[in-house]
Amino acid sequence: MSNLLSEKFVTPSLPDFIRNLVGTLDAMHREGKYHGKISKEIKPWMDSSGVNFDRDNFRSSAVELGNDVEAQIQQDVKNFVTCSKYWISSPTASLEADFKADLYQGKNLPMLFLKFLESCNPESGSTLRTMADFVKTLEQTPEPNAAAPVEPPQISPPASPPPSTHTANTQFSIALRNGTVGKPYEIEPSAIARAIANQRKDDPEKARISHLQLPDGCGLQFNEQTGAVTGIPIKALEEQLHLDYVPSPNETSITCKVSLLINPDPASLWKDLPPPADAPYQKDLLDDKEYTLGDFRIIAASRRGRSHANKGDFRDDDFAVGYADSTGWLVVVVADGAGSAKYSRKGSQIACMVTSERLVAALNTPEYQTISPPQIEQAEGGPVKPRKWLKELLHEAALDAHYKIQGEADQPSETLPEPPTIRNYDTTLIILVMKKLERGCFTATFSIGDGGAGILDTPDYAEPLTHADGGEHAGQTTFVTISSTVSNTPENLDKRFKMSTTMDFTAALVMTDGITDPKFPSDAAFSDPACWQSLWQELEPALVSSKSLLDWMNFFSPGNHDDRTLIAILPATTPSEE
Amino acid sequence: MSIRRLPVYLLLDTSGSMRGEPIQALKVGVQALVSSLRQDPHALESVHICIITFDNKARILTPLESLETFQTPLIDCPQSGATMTGSALELLCQCVDKDVRKNSETQKGDWRPLAFLMTDGSPNDTAHYNRMTEEVNRRPFASVIACAAGPKAKLDPLKKLTHNIFNLETMDGHSFAELFQWVSSTVSSGNRSMGATSSITLPPPPPEIQIVV
């Protein structure tokens, strides 16, 4: 035995050394000592034996195997092999085959090593290899009768989902699929037993789980008859669970561990943080207003989104409503400041104020009194002025917003830590002007960016009034602060300007993307009257007051937590009609 | 309605030099990242994670999967060997082309993806790497962030890939925890509206991470 290994490379007393190692590991594990301590204590006699032992690697290879001392030691010996540059002489072919067979059957590894090393034939004259290489060789050549190859020695705690394979003994890893609080959870009958049986190479048909310890009050139940796990999780957790596994009816149960992760319900995680009190451009987190203006009743509400509240950001949306009382034109503007721009809350505010004031002033002049909307409509395609006037008017209002924001960036109205650029005020802009006709309504819109407006003739017929600017990906849009969006080119204006005359009038809605994203899942949906109809059914009962609209706007839709602004324009009801 | 996803690609160097404590620290870092993101409601609903590891070759360790169902995989590394960073970038481009949904008439597109590359060395496949940095820059990333970890990491190759380079002096558990905490806050800022071409503004990194200009 003393000439087992070439003296040229290592101490001749390797088997004793291995035996010592295993014994020490065993003792220490049973005493509940930690891996770092173990590696510290074995390091000196590793060194004195002339072994190149990578202590850090060995220490970091600690695997959570709980109280299973056998499994710990087996894993440690494997790790020892990968962390030590020991040389051994090649065994004879038959020994190698025996060893491999044992390995595949998941027999006790430390004993295997002892047996194997003791029985190596030093006279065989074969070449020398490291133990790690040797183990690798064994694992790379599949054993003829083995169902599946054994994985290389793992030095990481496993957490892969079933049915990942692991070493063919009690060291296996099962993670139950993740759950989420409030969402029904199910693991099919027998699935856990099968996954363990497959890893252990037991017969999955015979294996069963006799007991699974689920945390008290977690909302999940384990059915001992079927082996299914079902229920609705009620609390978030990340835990190792104990279970009793019975490989076959004739065998006794083995206690092992599985991991389970239950995600929190995202809705429970939102924080409601106030924005910093010393930040410039303070703004209310909620805003709501009601008006009766001529022929129209307007219910408007704007609220900070959960994603903003969660980070203590401001409400970046804004809106404005104006009315030209001598001509009967209504002006409604909404703007959505970009989340990526730090002063967008001011940008949206300027955009709404500037455009609504300018449009009210312009539309209040007698020339707009005399332009009856049908004429405007007839003008389409012809060289007639009214359409052009309105298009120019709305465009100029948007252009004005652009310049006023530029002015704010050049000479900020409040003290800012550093000079801003216009892009710090990025905001979308949707302008809608409308006039009541004898039966229906006339509307003209100019829009830059996302969100949108639409009009319902009747509760079941709607027409979109805007076309959103979207990029290839979510969150990509354009802003009034980008000069190309307010350029005077015919292509740009035609894209942004739209007129419509309806025969009837139930409501017009102007919304930021905090509303359109959850309620219209695609561009196609925005043109689909059915989507407008269902939105209207949901919305109408909330339009009793701006406060109740504000409440409705707090609806929950996964992934949609932006600021929300909605302005509903309804026919004014006179007391006699009620 | 399918939710708009925020795809996050982690490219992790698992070459031989990462063996031992660095790979353990990295793994703990990834776990911390995932746990931290699980506490962010927006991330929990939208973040999808894909892990690509690279050493002698690049491989998809976990395909793009929602944070909700994601289970931290085993991260292992070979005894020694090359660092095929170029192959990892190639794989990244393939994944992005395949995974990331674009806006169309009938579906809402995903958020623009984020990519984080962590390496403790330099690419061994230099020519391929240089070609692939150009390919990556043609993809719609909201941000590509490179982290040079440890004393042997080379900065020059990373500069071809991105302007966002960070240097982690030590590769211990604490440094990785800080790094991934920061990555988490970066991911959390990835789902918000922005211009069609602009990049997200990164939150300030912790002091352990040096910004490389």
Side-chain angles (χ1 to χ4, degrees), chain A residues 232-251:
Chain A
I232 298 178
I234 52 181
K235 66 178 181 191
L237 55 89
E238 185 165 8
E239 274 186 41
Q240 296 282 320
L241 310 176
H242 287 275
L243 61 76
D244 293 331
Y245 168 80
V246 184
S248 71
N250 309 329
E251 292 176 74

Side-chain angles (χ1 to χ4, degrees), chain B residues 43-200:
Chain B
L44 186 51
E45 286 177 351
S46 59
V47 167
H48 282 59
I49 294 179
C50 169
I51 299 183
I52 293 172
T53 59
F54 57 100
D55 37 66
N56 291 320
K57 57 179 190 167
R59 65 191 73 76
I60 301 173
L61 190 62
T62 59
L64 195 67
E65 195 180 357
S66 78
L67 190 59
E68 201 176 336
T69 55
F70 182 83
Q71 301 197 327
T72 313
L74 298 161
I75 302 174
D76 209 352
C77 54
Q79 299 270 36
S80 61
T83 308
M84 307 302 266
T85 321
S87 304
L89 296 184
E90 184 179 2
L91 196 53
L92 171 68
C93 290
Q94 289 168 5
C95 287
V96 167
D97 293 345
K98 182 167 66 71
D99 297 340
V100 181
R101 298 183 199 128
K102 293 178 177 174
N103 268 328
S104 74
E105 189 63 16
T106 51
Q107 76 172 14
K108 288 248 159 90
D110 290 329
W111 297 98
R112 288 194 292 157
L114 303 173
F116 296 91
L117 174 94
M118 196 291 306
T119 181
D120 74 334
S122 56
N124 289 117
D125 50 351
T126 313
H128 189 50
Y129 174 82
N130 289 341
R131 269 199 310 280
M132 285 304 139
T133 57
E134 290 165 23
E135 284 296 315
V136 169
N137 287 317
R138 279 187 210 117
R139 300 301 188 281
F141 287 104
S143 196
V144 175
I145 296 167
C147 172
K152 290 184 201 140
K154 295 277 187 298
L155 297 174
D156 285 335
L158 297 178
K159 287 177 182 163
K160 295 198 177 82
L161 179 65
T162 174
H163 300 300
N164 302 314
I165 303 173
F166 300 93
N167 199 350
L168 205 60
E169 280 192 340
T170 54
M171 292 192 285
D172 57 20
H174 177 69
S175 302
F176 274 113
E178 290 284 342
L179 172 71
F180 280 103
Q181 185 63 41
W182 176 77
V183 168
S184 155
S185 59
T186 309
V187 169
S188 293
S189 60
N191 39 16
R192 49 173 61 194
S193 56
M194 62 184 89
T197 52
S198 49
S199 290
I200 58 168

Side-chain angles (χ1 to χ4, degrees), chain A residues 278-513:
Chain A
D278 56 351
Y281 302 132
Q282 292 285 322
K283 185 158 150 178
D284 291 337
L285 306 181
L286 300 172
D287 192 7
D288 69 285
K289 290 192 179 70
E290 295 178 39
Y291 315 80
T292 302
L293 299 166
D295 299 316
F296 303 105
R297 167 131 184 95
I298 293 107
I299 315 276
S302 177
R303 71 179 307 139
R304 182 169 71 148
R306 282 179 207 98
S307 60
H308 291 224
N310 195 50
K311 295 195 191 100
D313 291 342
F314 285 89
R315 173 174 61 99
D316 293 334
D317 277 10
D318 221 305
F319 70 89
V321 175
Y323 184 65
D325 46 12
S326 67
T327 53
W329 282 92
L330 177 73
V331 179
V332 167
V333 189
V334 302
D336 172 8
S340 55
K342 56 184 170 182
Y343 303 134
S344 63
R345 57 186 176 280
K346 186 65 180 175
S348 61
Q349 192 181 47
I350 295 174
C352 289
M353 240 160 48
V354 168
T355 48
S356 65
E357 281 171 12
R358 185 188 172 106
L359 286 169
V360 167
L363 291 167
N364 226 356
T365 51
E367 53 200 302
Y368 284 97
Q369 175 74 58
T370 56
I371 299 166
S372 76
Q375 274 175 289
I376 301 174
E377 189 66 355
Q378 283 159 16
E380 230 179 313
V384 186
K385 273 190 165 180
R387 179 188 170 103
K388 199 161 168 261
W389 285 1
L390 264 184
K391 193 197 275 184
E392 280 172 5
L393 192 66
L394 267 58
H395 169 242
E396 280 164 13
L399 196 60
D400 205 13
H402 178 87
Y403 285 126
K404 286 286 182 341
I405 295 171
Q406 180 68 63
E408 178 68 26
D410 292 343
Q411 285 185 310
S413 56
E414 296 190 23
T415 311
L416 304 179
E418 54 196 54
T421 70
I422 188 172
R423 296 301 308 276
N424 293 143
Y425 297 84
D426 277 354
T427 180
T428 68
L429 179 64
I430 300 173
I431 306 171
L432 175 141
V433 296
M434 70 191 287
K435 196 170 153 93
K436 184 85 177 71
L437 306 178
E438 201 171 315
R439 286 198 61 197
C441 275
F442 171 81
T443 59
T445 47
F446 190 90
S447 69
I448 296 170
D450 49 19
I455 186 161
L456 291 105
D457 284 34
T458 59
D460 51 11
Y461 184 77
E463 187 187 338
L465 297 175
T466 55
H467 183 78
D469 290 286
E472 285 189 327
H473 295 279
Q476 288 179 303
T477 188
T478 192
F479 306 110
V480 67
T481 38
I482 298 172
S483 34
S484 62
T485 64
V486 286
S487 81
N488 200 14
T489 61
E491 306 81 59
N492 185 50
L493 298 187
D494 287 344
K495 186 166 74 177
R496 310 205 171 280
F497 182 74
K498 191 169 157 72
M499 290 194 304
S500 171
T501 304
T502 62
M503 294 307 292
D504 219 328
F505 176 48
T506 299
L509 304 175
V510 189
M511 302 162 278
T512 60
D513 65 344

Side-chain angles (χ1 to χ4, degrees), chain A residues 162-176 190-204 207-209 211-212 243-247 254-258:
Chain A
S164 76
T165 55
H166 208 42
T167 43
N169 48 43
T170 53
Q171 304 163 36
F172 52 82
S173 140
I174 301 282
L176 304 185
S190 316
I192 304 172
R194 281 169 185 279
I196 298 176
N198 284 333
Q199 290 201 6
R200 287 171 42 96
K201 316 270 180 277
D202 292 334
D203 182 350
R208 68 181 196 93
I209 307 293
H211 180 69
L212 170 64
L243 61 76
D244 293 331
Y245 168 80
V246 184
I254 303 165
T255 299
C256 33
K257 279 181 165 184
V258 293

